[in-house]
Amino acid sequence: ALRGNKGWAPAWRSPVPKNHYDVIIIGGGGHGLATAYYLVKEFGVTNVAVLEKGYIGSGNVGRNTTIIRSNYLLEGNNPFYELSMKLWEGLEQDFNFNAMVSQRGVLNLYHSDAQRDAYTRRGNAMRLHGVDADLLDRNAVRQMLPFLDFDNARFPIQGALMQRRGGTVRHDAVAWGYARGADSRGVDIIQNCEVTGIRRENGRVVGVETSQGFIGCGKLALAAAGNSTTVADMVDMKLPIESHVLQAFVSEGLKPFIDNVVTFGAGHFYVSQSDKGGLVFGGDIDGYNSYAQRGNLATVEHVAEAGVAMIPALSRVRVLRSWGGVMDMSMDGSPIIDRTPIDNLYLNAGWCYGGFKATPASGFCYAHLIARNEPHETGRAFRLDRFARGRMIDEKGVGSQPN
Ligand code: FAD
């Protein structure tokens, strides 16, 4: 900015696509870019392209509310999200980019004895996996967050489950950091390149039709998030996924007010405060299927109501902006990182509204799968056929809780 926003060197190239790549990744979101980065850096696969229909960061990676945590209950999920947390903790040094990783603590409020028992169980499961968890009583929460509505007669706050290592990360910097890291190692990131078809010969994928022409590949990896079902349709593959919009909001700038990330236990609402002072908040998905990156007023009203029930002073705050992103909602709230019935086609999808925190581990495990044709041990549970086999990782209340 001191140079009048002139003379900046681009952080990654804009290459003309080659005729053929060893690996093509569809989707230049967080997961696609992280996969490309780890493919080159950790697994030595160098002839890689990421094809993005818009610009880097135009999808959910640039639209989420930036929350990271590893406070999961179930066996398949907990070690995976903890791997992600550990990668977040070293990410800025690893890709040499300031992603503003802020471990400010995530609190999930509880409002009844039953909810306290469920959070106690979750906290114990976390600790058994070596993940930090603290159960706070009402007074401890009151000291940290005195502005919450403790006198609410209907949903009295009894306490909170807290993960102190949880927090926030600047979302678009994550996309930029991975993009720059992948590009500098030779990955071609091709923006404005929409995949419109997948060409197959003898049961194998040979390449993709795109808005910039045909591009051949040895392996094809889907990482299209909210558009997973439309891309899978190109090979007549039906996924156990529905797309829904999730909205988010940012308020006018306020003086420092909320030090942590806080989620309401009696309705759909969660909030943190950005370094610029805006309150960043959201709630539940809009309840109908959609591929539109915008939502509806009924959900806005619900989010506002829940927010004011948790923090009455919010009724005086002005909202500056709201937006929406398209969620790939899986049927059990957990993701899919797996091979598909087509030999050289790989799938990364079903992140629901919690996939930002998974970005590093998802990229790492997906790169492992693509390079070695073997799942990484930490992502082994996220199989596509678990829905047919009835081996769901049903963690909707936690795994797909917004944020
Ligand atoms: P995306 O960034 O959406 O990447 C997919 C890319 O594929 C897109 O850029 C898209 O343009 C591209 N694409 C699609 N089809 C094609 C095609 N045919 N050809 C080429 N490219 C294509 N998660 C958290 O963990 N914490 C949070 O606090 C959180 N809050 C959220 C709040 C909101 C409002 C939203 C919308 C999401 C939130 N999430 C959160 C979820 C998280 O953002 C997503 O799960 C995650 O970003 C999805 O992975 P991605 O980054 O790869 O997706």
Side-chain angles (χ1 to χ4, degrees), residues 92-252:
E92 291 166 303
Q93 289 75 16
D94 185 53
F95 65 20
N96 188 25
F97 202 88
N98 180 8
M100 296 164 69
V101 176
S102 164
Q103 294 181 286
R104 59 183 67 182
V106 173
L107 288 97
N108 304 123
L109 302 178
Y110 59 81
H111 309 260
S112 66
D113 291 353
Q115 212 170 18
R116 180 202 56 218
D117 291 351
Y119 280 179
T120 307
R121 180 170 173 242
R122 180 153 43 125
N124 283 333
M126 290 163 64
R127 284 180 166 220
L128 284 172
H129 278 108
V131 179
D132 66 302
D134 289 310
L135 199 70
L136 306 183
D137 65 13
R138 179 183 162 94
N139 283 340
V141 176
R142 197 169 207 148
Q143 276 186 354
M144 297 172 81
L145 303 160
F147 46 81
L148 298 180
D149 189 359
F150 288 88
D151 301 323
N152 185 321
R154 192 163 169 207
F155 309 118
I157 295 167
Q158 292 192 10
L161 176 67
M162 179 169 193
Q163 185 184 18
R164 293 181 198 273
R165 284 163 63 242
T168 58
V169 181
R170 181 166 172 190
H171 52 0
D172 38 19
V174 174
W176 302 333
Y178 276 125
R180 192 184 68 161
D183 172 89
S184 67
R185 290 171 172 81
V187 171
D188 282 357
I189 298 170
I190 302 165
Q191 302 181 81
N192 301 311
C193 183
E194 178 168 5
V195 173
T196 53
I198 297 175
R199 199 185 286 178
R200 279 177 290 170
E201 281 171 17
N202 302 322
R204 286 177 66 82
V205 172
V206 292
V208 288
E209 315 287 349
T210 79
S211 50
Q212 298 192 26
F214 176 78
I215 310 175
C217 65
K219 295 180 176 181
L220 182 64
L222 311 190
N227 285 284
S228 296
T229 45
T230 55
V231 178
D233 264 353
M234 295 174 192
V235 288
D236 306 317
M237 196 164 72
K238 297 280 171 244
L239 298 180
I241 284 174
E242 286 183 6
S243 286
H244 286 258
V245 69
L246 177 67
Q247 303 189 57
F249 308 82
V250 67
S251 78
E252 60 190 325

Side-chain angles (χ1 to χ4, degrees), residues 27 29-31 52-53 60-61 64-65 67 195 353-357:
H31 293 234
E52 167 52 48
K53 72 174 174 180
N60 296 334
V61 70
N64 64 73
T65 40
I67 297 162
V195 173
Y353 25 51
F356 174 65
K357 70 179 76 62

Side-chain angles (χ1 to χ4, degrees), residues 21 38 48 72 75 92 110 115 125-127 138 206 224 237-238 281 286 289 300 309-310 326 367 374 402:
Y21 292 92
Y38 293 118
V48 179
Y72 284 69
E75 191 63 45
E92 291 166 303
Y110 59 81
Q115 212 170 18
M126 290 163 64
R127 284 180 166 220
R138 179 183 162 94
V206 292
M237 196 164 72
K238 297 280 171 244
F281 58 94
D286 284 38
N289 294 154
V300 177
M310 186 172 104
V326 187
E374 264 293 307

Side-chain angles (χ1 to χ4, degrees), residues 279-298:
L279 301 183
V280 181
F281 58 94
D284 201 5
I285 49 173
D286 284 38
Y288 51 89
N289 294 154
S290 172
Y291 293 103
Q293 289 175 312
R294 62 177 183 277
N296 239 308
L297 285 173

